[in-house]
Amino acid sequence: GQEEMIIAQLTASKLEGLVLARTNDRLLDWAAQSRLPVIVADDWRSDLRVDSVVQDGFDGGNLAARHLLDQGCERIAWLGYMDHLHGLARYGGASAVLAAAGKRFSHEENADFAPQAQLEAATRLLSGPSRPDGIIAFWRPSCAPLVQAARAAGLELGRSRKLVGWCPRELTAEPYTPL
């Protein structure tokens, strides 16, 4: 909402290139008119006119599913968020590995990051007689509700249920260690 102010600051700085943390059409248009080289970091969309550098969510999903299969998991579930490039890539990688093994997700829950929505999704995932024995929940906001739902169902993650989460190493103490 403050693109004009940002453009004024960028123009005054006489920069030679621009790295954007998210796609922003107004800034991208200005950069194109100014003939500035631009890359977008950690965001992407199909109509993006500049290069983008993003984390490899597809391979992350691939590695997560492969790990759970190697652990002997037969019913692998997805607890995720599909409204962004990262969710789509991670889901795609995990789905591809499962398909290559002749499997599909046994359960799928996609919910926004509101704590109550995540808890409800996790509770649905862990209810019923054919609960998953492996769960992919890449987002930190998904893991605490998942642990809470597992404890309420009398399940212990790591023993009868395997979980693959995703978190930068320097942040593991924040969400995971207390769980």
Side-chain angles (χ1 to χ4, degrees), residues 64-65 67-68 71 73 75-79 122 125-126 132-140 142-148 150 156-166 175-176 179:
H67 173 75
L68 291 174
Q71 295 293 309
C73 295
R75 294 175 315 283
I76 298 174
W78 168 267
L79 175 60
L125 218 155
L126 295 175
D133 56 1
I135 303 163
I136 296 174
F138 282 132
W139 289 267
R140 287 180 289 151
S142 302
C143 288
L146 186 59
V147 170
Q148 185 180 352
E156 187 176 347
L157 294 174
R159 294 193 189 269
S160 62
R161 309 281 178 260
K162 305 292 183 195
L163 168 65
V164 175
W166 189 325
Y176 293 114
L179 298 174

Side-chain angles (χ1 to χ4, degrees), residues 44-113:
W44 178 88
R45 63 179 199 226
S46 61
D47 66 341
L48 195 57
R49 304 176 309 255
V50 300
D51 287 333
S52 168
V53 178
V54 296
Q55 60 184 266
D56 190 355
F58 187 88
D59 198 41
N62 180 318
L63 291 169
R66 190 176 315 275
H67 173 75
L68 291 174
L69 289 171
D70 289 348
Q71 295 293 309
C73 295
E74 294 289 328
R75 294 175 315 283
I76 298 174
W78 168 267
L79 175 60
Y81 182 72
M82 299 290 284
D83 291 348
H84 192 270
L85 143 81
H86 297 302
L88 296 172
R90 295 166 186 178
Y91 180 89
S95 295
V97 165
L98 292 177
K103 297 180 180 296
R104 303 181 116 170
F105 284 114
S106 64
H107 303 74
E108 292 184 35
E109 288 288 340
N110 292 294
D112 66 41
F113 286 140

